[in-house]
Amino acid sequence: MANVRSNGRPEPEVIAQFLDGQSYSKGKLEEAFRTLRLDKPYAKPPKAQPSPFKAEDIDLLVREFEITRADAEKTLADADGKVVEAAQRLVGL
């Protein structure tokens, strides 16, 4: 069955030939795409776990060293939650 455009005329079936001898039909391609992607609901991203570290400690590292929150949390985790040790690791001492 041909798709109908807004002007009432049926949309022609498009078949393209490629140099390697392969071809595709627009209708079959759209149907395959719909069954693979469009008909399935999108998976929700997992919720971020709350950080076990103080927000003030993370904000201090982010602000002073201009790093991301994820990097600040990783550095704090490596330093067992000690802000001074985390700062020393970021400075390179």
Side-chain angles (χ1 to χ4, degrees):
M1 184 171 124
N3 293 335
V4 178
R5 291 186 191 175
S6 62
N7 64 4
R9 289 185 284 176
E11 186 175 324
E13 182 70 17
V14 177
I15 299 176
Q17 298 287 337
F18 294 98
L19 292 176
D20 61 358
Q22 300 292 323
S23 64
Y24 76 91
S25 168
K26 180 182 176 187
K28 290 180 183 177
L29 185 64
E30 286 178 350
E31 181 182 337
F33 180 74
R34 268 192 221 96
T35 57
L36 289 175
R37 191 65 187 144
L38 295 179
D39 293 340
K40 296 178 184 177
Y42 289 103
K44 293 181 180 178
K47 291 187 177 181
Q49 298 293 328
S51 177
F53 308 110
K54 293 180 184 177
E56 302 88 40
D57 296 344
I58 296 170
D59 290 338
L60 174 72
L61 294 177
V62 168
R63 187 175 56 250
E64 294 299 323
F65 293 97
E66 297 180 355
I67 58 175
T68 63
R69 291 189 71 80
D71 289 342
E73 289 178 9
K74 184 179 181 300
T75 306
L76 277 170
D78 293 342
D80 297 324
K82 299 176 184 172
V83 180
V84 174
E85 187 177 329
Q88 289 174 342
R89 286 177 186 231
L90 290 169
V91 171
L93 297 178

